[in-house]
Amino acid sequence: MIVSLTIVRYRKTFVPFALLAMAVHRLPMWLQSGCSFWKLLGSGRNGTFDLQPDWQQWGLLAVWDDRDDYDRFAKKSFVSKWWRVLGRETWTLLCQPMQSHGKWDGKEPFGKPNNAIGDGPVGVLTRATIRMSGLKNFWAHVDEVADLMVGAPGYITSLGVGEAPVYRQATFSVWESMEQMKAFAYGSKHAEVIKKTRSEDWYSEELFARFRIIESSGTINGKDPLAGLLKTQITS
């Protein structure tokens, strides 16, 4: 299994095409061979959960049976051609799931992996559907957690993405190592907020997954955040 996360930035004049893509790309993704799960995603402005959308930045998360299936998509699909013509820049991460808990629209898109931890950068996906009763408390803690994350040792970057404003939100964060990511997750005030999500039942559905990042290509805001950090190459 290979998981891809592609972030696309459009020129301002092409924002209408970005909005159109959220509808137009559904059929080709549904028909795409070798893709078992996919989500078209909007993006926040500040690299985490965000009430303010970035109209120029959009994403696609997809799960592929193997590397060949992803390569065919990247080279020949209608979606990838759309990005090349209308996008200003794209950044793609290819990952292998290490651990995953929870569901996304009732599915376990990454299965139940329990893979050994390797060296090098890791990605963490935190995704939730927030109950109406939990919205106020959820958004009250977003800025605090985001500030802690950005200042944490080993933090590289993060992306705020979502399927719908306000209540269907996700963050994909990238870290230099598993150890540094765990130090933030379990050794800071972040852990206290996680406990509140459980005790106060903020979410009607949630998913937490960790990935080994095995390839990074393209740029986002003019650079590849993982340039020089990846030592291994992906294998099919």
Side-chain angles (χ1 to χ4, degrees):
M1 177 189 293
I2 296 296
V3 177
S4 66
L5 175 63
T6 298
I7 302 298
V8 184
R9 286 198 63 82
Y10 289 83
R11 299 173 180 85
K12 287 185 179 180
T13 55
F14 287 171
V15 165
F17 291 99
L19 294 167
L20 182 63
M22 294 294 283
V24 172
H25 289 180
R26 293 181 182 276
L27 180 59
M29 288 307 304
W30 183 65
L31 295 173
Q32 185 69 42
S33 63
C35 183
S36 61
F37 182 87
W38 55 270
K39 288 292 178 182
L40 295 166
L41 303 166
S43 181
R45 291 182 180 272
N46 297 314
T48 183
F49 303 113
D50 201 335
L51 288 170
Q52 297 184 0
D54 185 339
W55 298 110
Q56 289 182 257
Q57 186 162 297
W58 301 79
L60 171 70
L61 183 142
V63 180
W64 306 93
D65 294 341
D66 57 37
R67 175 60 187 265
D68 289 340
D69 291 315
Y70 168 76
D71 284 343
R72 280 193 295 272
F73 166 80
K75 294 176 183 177
K76 299 179 180 180
S77 73
F78 172 81
V79 174
S80 61
K81 290 177 181 177
W82 177 292
W83 293 339
R84 285 195 289 271
V85 172
L86 299 174
R88 187 176 75 185
E89 60 179 345
T90 62
W91 182 44
T92 297
L93 293 175
L94 296 183
C95 311
Q96 290 177 332
M98 293 193 295
Q99 297 171 331
S100 180
H101 305 284
K103 294 183 178 181
W104 196 332
D105 285 345
K107 300 177 181 178
E108 294 180 319
F110 316 117
K112 295 182 178 180
N114 187 21
N115 298 328
I117 298 170
D119 295 332
V122 297
V124 178
L125 175 68
T126 304
R127 181 267 166 192
T129 300
I130 310 161
R131 299 183 189 275
M132 294 300 167
S133 59
L135 283 174
K136 181 179 180 180
N137 286 337
F138 173 86
W139 287 107
H141 288 85
V142 164
D143 289 344
E144 176 187 11
V145 172
D147 290 343
L148 288 170
M149 181 171 64
V150 171
Y155 168 85
I156 296 175
T157 191
S158 61
L159 301 159
V161 291
E163 301 161 83
V166 182
Y167 78 102
R168 290 172 67 87
Q169 296 286 309
T171 291
F172 192 95
S173 58
V174 181
W175 301 81
E176 292 181 15
S177 70
M178 181 65 76
E179 291 73 19
Q180 289 169 313
M181 183 279 294
K182 285 185 174 181
F184 164 73
Y186 303 123
S188 69
K189 290 185 179 180
H190 176 261
E192 298 176 12
V193 176
I194 296 301
K195 289 180 180 178
K196 284 188 177 182
T197 69
R198 305 286 192 271
S199 62
E200 299 178 10
D201 197 23
W202 292 359
Y203 307 143
S204 61
E205 185 183 59
E206 61 180 313
L207 183 144
F208 176 81
R210 296 171 177 168
F211 304 90
R212 184 170 73 96
I213 298 175
I214 44 186
E215 190 169 301
S216 174
S217 60
T219 62
I220 186 72
N221 293 317
K223 65 178 183 179
D224 179 352
L226 284 168
L229 294 177
L230 291 173
K231 299 179 180 179
T232 57
Q233 295 294 319
I234 190 169
T235 56
S236 58

